[in-house]
Amino acid sequence: MAASPGPAGVGGAGAVYGSGSSGFALDSGLEIKTRSVEQTLLPLVSQITTLINHKDNTKKSDKTLQAIQRVGQAVNLAVGRFVKVGEAIANENWDLKEEINIACIEAKQAGETIAALTDITNLNHLESDGQITIFTDKTGVIKAARLLLSSVTKVLLLADRVVIKQIITSRNKVLATMERLEKVNSFQEFVQIFSQFGNEMVEFAHLSGDRQNDLKDEKKKAKMAAARTVLEKCTMMLLTASKTCLRHPNCESAHKNKEGVFDRMKVALDKVIEIVTDCKPNGETDISSISIFTGIKEFKMNIEALRENLYFQSKENLSVTLEVILERTEDFTDSAYTSHEHRERILELSTQARMELQQLISVWIQAQSKKTKSIAEELELSILKISHSLNELKKELHSTATQLAADLLKYHADHVVLKALKLTGVEGNLEALAEYACKLSEQKEQLVETCRLLRHISGTEPLEITCIHAEETFQVTGQQIISAAETLTLHPSSKIAKENLDVFCEAWESQISDMSTLLREINDVFEGRRGEKYGYLSLPKPMKNNANLKSLKPDKPDSEEQAKIAKLGLKLGLLTSDADCEIEKWEDQENEIVQYGRNMSSMAYSLYLFTRGEGPLKTSQDLIHQLEVFAAEGLKLTSSVQAFSKQLKDDDKLMLLLEINKLIPLCHQLQTVTKTSLQNKVFLKVDKCITKTRSMMALLVQLLSLCYKLLKKLQMENNGWVSVTNKDTMDGKT
């Protein structure tokens, strides 16, 4: 999931949401096959166009004539496959059967016409038998090609309606089973219904995943990813929350906890249907209208248009647009978490922008009446000045939001409040529960407000949607953790209540980790590190020796391979966040272990971006080079850790060496994989490399954590020894 919103990290029945797996159900598989045939047809039709446009006065070589016939036959064969798929869809969907069959007949006729007109076997007998071919009837070929494209489009649109209908039907089945789950009273009955619910959710996951892969609109894709992430994580929550309710039927907090999960899942299911059917509910506002950065971008486009047209818009509209933008900056200036320095600077830049606009309007009025060179230059200067002021305002807002987010993530990295709530619940301490529930609520409000500020400066619509998703998740999950903790506190010996609280706490921790990734992506966009997207797994540029050029064509993976790589990359991205959290704990940031760990985390993050088609790595050649450096850095880390282990006692040393001995073979294995031949095995090789890298990153996180603990222990022992020595010395002197 791409992106994209927060990564999907909860397993169980919802784990299938990690990627959209193609062809789970019959109709979905048929649609994918239809699209595959369409992708074969379109290039062939393009070749027909080229042949039609071939100069008539030139003599056709045998090679050209054979090419014409091959293309015609290939088109007819592809149309035949397409029609079979279309007819299969029609047989499964009686309400659309007639329309699909008519379109299939048209496509078949067009294919046969093209095949007949490009048949040049009897070309030598043209004059004697008057045979019509592509050379004597170009109009016929053009008409057939147009009919073919029209009929193919009809079939695809009808197949799309079938898939939409199937997703809606699947959602309705899930909702019906959820209603039964809400009303269940016995544990045995719950197990039976939940089993059915799990199967239905798997089907819905596959269907919605296929749809997400097909979406071209990045904004819709991000919304779909957010909704599917909610469904994935809530599936496990629904299980434990329902079991807790069944175990403690008279507990009000348990029922409140369960209702929250059901409500959120219903909203997410409705959101998927909204995206699939492209129907917005009444009153929904456009997300771009609430983003400061989007507003500034549009405002700058409007003032820059004055260079070409002085009457493009009214002066009042410009003033109103700027005031709306500056009004939204109040989210920053009114925030209790914004520092005094940032607040003053934002207000100063806002005032400056207003003054610059008044100056621009004054020059603009003069330019409309006087067409002199000096006025044109003054107008240009005014445009540049206000653009500069708004750029400075953007920088200040970005600095304010990202600094606040980074500080907040660092402060809550240890999840002290969650640990305290778990302990409080097991102890049954209601007073302590109230105290820590209040602290979690404060933390929740901080995170929600920070997400709101990040949304303003996110820079792209998909990232805005991810910020909104994070904001909603913190808002809802915070309340659910408190209700789950309350249930455990009232029933401190309940294992299921403890398990339920653990699940909600894990969801919170996962969202904190996702927020760290989100912050990094927002910084990447702001600093221009996310440029145009590059195709996954593109091959390296051909070398001087061009003997094998044919084998070096870009090898783009299919949707399932892309989904698999993206899922691996997502897990890698999460591990880089975990590694960064471990690194931040170290007081000595110049420590060799920290430096090597930071380097490895940074490189792993670049690999994660590569799986999304982003970042500095553009080709598989870049990827392989990065992996070689990554493996070498891993070996350097193991050397540093080995040197550190010499300072430890035998037991601690042995424990650390065992971890090192796991990492060293992985480094060597990765080096071996990177040196294997690329030819025809690009996906397989990248898959292996990222899997190895992920295993190495998991070990890195463990190593950093273990080294930090052992270092602290060593320091305490040394300090204790120094204290005793100093005390003995003092006693001796006395």
Side-chain angles (χ1 to χ4, degrees):
M1 269 188 209
S4 58
V10 179
V16 73
Y17 277 91
S19 64
S21 178
S22 299
F24 175 79
L26 175 63
D27 290 342
S28 180
L30 288 173
E31 186 214 15
I32 290 161
K33 289 175 186 173
T34 310
R35 291 187 185 280
S36 175
V37 178
E38 176 211 15
Q39 289 166 1
T40 307
L41 275 171
L42 293 180
L44 291 170
V45 173
S46 175
Q47 289 180 42
I48 292 170
T49 307
T50 304
L51 293 168
I52 290 169
N53 294 331
H54 201 280
K55 291 181 181 179
D56 289 328
N57 57 359
T58 58
K59 187 178 179 181
K60 310 297 184 294
S61 66
D62 289 341
K63 191 175 180 181
T64 302
L65 295 176
Q66 288 168 10
I68 290 169
Q69 184 155 348
R70 279 200 304 271
V71 170
Q73 289 171 348
V75 167
N76 197 25
L77 286 170
V79 170
R81 292 196 300 272
F82 184 87
V83 167
K84 282 182 182 177
V85 174
E87 288 171 347
I89 294 174
N91 291 332
E92 291 291 325
N93 298 274
W94 289 91
D95 52 336
L96 297 173
K97 184 173 182 178
E98 187 177 351
E99 290 180 80
I100 295 174
N101 280 339
I102 290 170
C104 286
I105 290 167
E106 289 177 355
K108 191 175 181 181
Q109 288 173 349
E112 289 171 351
T113 302
I114 289 170
L117 291 173
T118 54
D119 184 1
I120 46 83
T121 52
N122 299 318
L123 188 62
N124 295 329
H125 307 289
L126 277 178
E127 293 180 3
S128 60
D129 60 14
Q131 182 185 350
I132 298 173
T133 71
I134 188 172
F135 303 120
T136 59
D137 186 16
K138 281 188 177 183
T139 308
V141 177
I142 292 168
K143 284 181 180 177
R146 285 176 179 166
L147 178 63
L148 178 59
L149 290 174
S150 172
S151 55
V152 165
T153 304
K154 282 180 190 174
V155 174
L156 289 172
L157 289 172
L158 291 167
D160 200 54
R161 281 168 58 184
V162 170
V163 175
I164 291 171
K165 177 185 168 186
Q166 193 178 25
I167 293 172
I168 293 171
T169 303
S170 179
R171 186 279 306 257
N172 292 341
K173 281 161 62 180
V174 169
L175 280 176
T177 309
M178 281 177 68
E179 285 182 18
R180 291 174 63 200
L181 280 173
E182 281 186 277
K183 297 171 184 175
V184 74
N185 291 318
S186 73
F187 191 78
Q188 188 176 0
E189 186 185 0
F190 171 78
V191 170
Q192 291 173 349
I193 298 173
F194 190 82
S195 177
Q196 178 189 338
F197 172 73
N199 292 332
E200 289 169 354
M201 284 297 289
V202 167
E203 180 186 358
F204 187 77
H206 280 284
L207 291 171
S208 58
D210 289 335
R211 194 67 183 180
Q212 184 180 324
N213 289 338
D214 285 340
L215 290 171
K216 300 294 186 288
D217 188 321
E218 290 296 326
K219 186 175 175 181
K220 286 182 180 177
K221 194 172 270 193
K223 284 183 177 180
M224 180 73 92
R228 293 177 74 244
T229 300
V230 169
L231 290 171
E232 177 198 351
K233 295 186 177 181
C234 283
T235 301
M236 181 56 71
M237 295 175 185
L238 184 143
L239 175 62
T240 56
S242 298
K243 284 164 66 180
T244 305
C245 261
L246 289 169
R247 187 64 53 84
H248 308 289
N250 299 320
C251 183
E252 186 181 341
S253 59
H255 283 281
K256 182 181 175 183
N257 183 255
K258 186 184 88 168
E259 285 165 11
V261 178
F262 275 93
D263 290 345
R264 195 161 190 227
M265 288 191 79
K266 288 172 186 175
V267 170
L269 287 165
D270 288 342
K271 179 61 69 177
V272 170
I273 300 304
E274 283 171 27
I275 297 161
V276 167
T277 57
D278 205 18
C279 294
K280 291 183 180 180
N282 293 330
E284 182 178 310
T285 55
D286 187 7
I287 290 173
S288 62
S289 66
I290 55 174
S291 163
I292 294 174
F293 272 29
T294 303
I296 289 176
K297 183 181 178 181
E298 291 174 359
F299 180 81
K300 285 172 69 178
M301 286 170 64
N302 288 337
I303 61 172
E304 285 166 4
L306 295 174
R307 294 180 175 124
E308 305 297 327
N309 186 352
L310 293 171
Y311 305 94
F312 176 66
Q313 61 187 318
S314 69
K315 300 158 190 68
E316 292 76 16
N317 280 350
L318 270 187
S319 298
V320 169
T321 304
L322 182 64
E323 282 307 314
V324 169
I325 292 168
L326 298 181
E327 188 178 321
R328 289 176 198 148
T329 62
E330 290 174 7
D331 285 350
F332 289 79
T333 54
D334 292 350
S335 172
Y337 310 112
T338 301
S339 69
H340 177 71
E341 291 77 12
H342 281 304
R343 185 178 291 109
E344 289 298 311
R345 181 64 177 151
I346 292 167
L347 291 170
E348 180 189 330
L349 289 168
S350 299
T351 303
Q352 187 177 333
R354 286 191 183 96
M355 290 170 58
E356 298 289 0
L357 179 61
Q358 290 307 312
Q359 177 63 26
L360 172 63
I361 290 172
S362 175
V363 176
W364 182 9
I365 293 169
Q366 293 179 50
Q368 286 177 329
S369 57
K370 299 177 185 178
K371 308 289 183 182
T372 63
K373 185 180 178 182
S374 61
I375 289 294
E377 288 174 352
E378 200 172 339
L379 179 66
E380 178 65 23
L381 183 62
S382 297
I383 290 171
L384 292 174
K385 278 185 176 180
I386 192 168
S387 293
H388 176 72
S389 295
L390 291 172
N391 285 339
E392 289 299 308
L393 179 60
K394 279 178 67 177
K395 286 180 186 176
E396 191 61 34
L397 294 173
H398 178 269
S399 173
T400 303
T402 53
Q403 186 177 323
L404 174 61
D407 290 346
L408 202 57
L409 288 169
K410 189 174 181 179
Y411 183 73
H412 295 302
D414 292 334
H415 306 293
V416 174
V417 177
L418 296 184
K419 291 172 184 174
L421 278 170
K422 290 178 185 179
L423 186 62
T424 299
V426 173
E427 292 173 348
N429 189 336
L430 286 169
E431 287 183 14
L433 170 68
E435 178 189 345
Y436 288 112
C438 184
K439 286 184 179 181
L440 184 67
S441 295
E442 289 173 8
Q443 184 179 332
K444 179 196 73 178
E445 290 306 319
Q446 280 183 313
L447 289 164
V448 165
E449 189 159 336
T450 303
C451 290
R452 200 171 294 136
L453 299 184
L454 287 174
R455 181 178 59 188
H456 277 307
I457 59 104
S458 55
T460 68
E461 284 186 330
L463 287 178
E464 280 183 45
I465 291 160
T466 306
C467 291
I468 292 169
H469 167 73
E471 182 183 336
E472 291 171 352
T473 301
F474 284 126
Q475 191 74 265
V476 175
T477 311
Q479 291 297 332
Q480 289 176 314
I481 288 173
I482 291 170
S483 60
E486 186 179 337
T487 304
L488 179 59
T489 309
L490 293 170
H491 307 278
S493 59
S494 172
K495 288 183 179 179
I496 183 58
K498 184 179 182 301
E499 182 189 350
N500 187 46
L501 178 58
D502 287 340
V503 166
F504 283 97
C505 288
E506 283 170 14
W508 180 275
E509 290 170 12
S510 173
Q511 191 56 54
I512 289 281
S513 177
D514 294 349
M515 188 175 172
S516 178
T517 304
L518 171 63
L519 178 61
R520 194 147 42 176
E521 290 188 349
I522 288 171
N523 282 326
D524 284 346
V525 170
F526 187 77
E527 293 168 17
R529 290 199 293 266
R530 267 183 65 177
E532 61 179 286
K533 292 187 176 182
Y534 299 92
Y536 296 133
L537 318 182
S538 54
L539 284 165
K541 294 176 183 177
M543 303 301 172
K544 288 182 180 179
N545 180 7
N546 60 358
N548 295 318
L549 282 183
K550 288 183 180 178
S551 66
L552 287 173
K553 290 178 181 177
D555 178 24
K556 292 185 179 179
D558 59 31
S559 58
E560 285 190 25
E561 290 175 340
Q562 281 192 8
K564 186 178 180 184
I565 289 291
K567 193 171 182 180
L568 284 171
L570 212 53
K571 292 174 181 176
L572 191 60
L574 283 171
L575 285 168
T576 61
S577 298
D578 293 341
D580 291 344
C581 288
E582 291 297 334
I583 287 167
E584 284 172 7
K585 293 178 184 177
W586 290 64
E587 294 170 7
D588 180 13
Q589 290 290 308
E590 299 303 315
N591 186 295
E592 271 193 357
I593 295 173
V594 172
Q595 288 179 353
Y596 291 134
R598 189 186 295 114
N599 292 344
M600 290 177 73
S601 179
S602 176
M603 284 186 272
Y605 184 68
S606 295
L607 300 178
Y608 157 66
L609 290 178
F610 179 82
T611 63
R612 295 165 60 95
E614 300 161 5
L617 305 179
K618 301 172 186 177
T619 66
S620 54
Q621 185 86 339
D622 296 339
L623 176 73
I624 298 305
H625 175 68
Q626 182 86 320
L627 288 166
E628 288 171 350
V629 178
F630 181 81
E633 207 73 5
L635 290 171
K636 290 177 185 176
L637 173 75
T638 58
S639 298
S640 293
V641 175
Q642 281 174 336
F644 168 64
S645 69
K646 293 175 183 177
Q647 305 173 43
L648 305 173
K649 291 181 179 178
D650 289 345
D651 290 346
D652 292 340
K653 183 177 181 179
L654 180 61
M655 182 167 51
L656 192 55
L657 289 175
L658 285 171
E659 291 299 315
I660 297 171
N661 289 336
K662 293 177 188 174
L663 183 59
I664 292 173
L666 282 173
C667 293
H668 290 308
Q669 287 167 22
L670 183 59
Q671 287 178 328
T672 303
V673 174
T674 57
K675 289 172 184 175
T676 55
S677 173
L678 264 176
Q679 193 169 351
N680 301 325
K681 295 181 181 177
V682 179
F683 168 72
L684 183 62
K685 180 169 182 176
V686 172
D687 181 26
K688 283 184 178 179
C689 285
I690 293 177
T691 303
K692 293 287 181 193
T693 306
R694 195 169 55 120
S695 301
M696 287 173 66
M697 283 302 296
L699 277 172
L700 173 66
V701 173
Q702 292 174 23
L703 263 177
L704 288 169
S705 176
L706 182 58
C707 287
Y708 176 75
K709 290 173 184 174
L710 293 175
L711 179 63
K712 284 289 179 187
K713 183 179 177 182
L714 185 65
Q715 288 172 345
M716 286 176 66
E717 288 171 353
N718 289 342
N719 289 339
W721 179 81
V722 169
S723 300
V724 171
T725 306
N726 288 343
K727 185 176 182 299
D728 291 343
T729 306
M730 290 291 289
D731 290 343
K733 284 182 179 177
T734 304

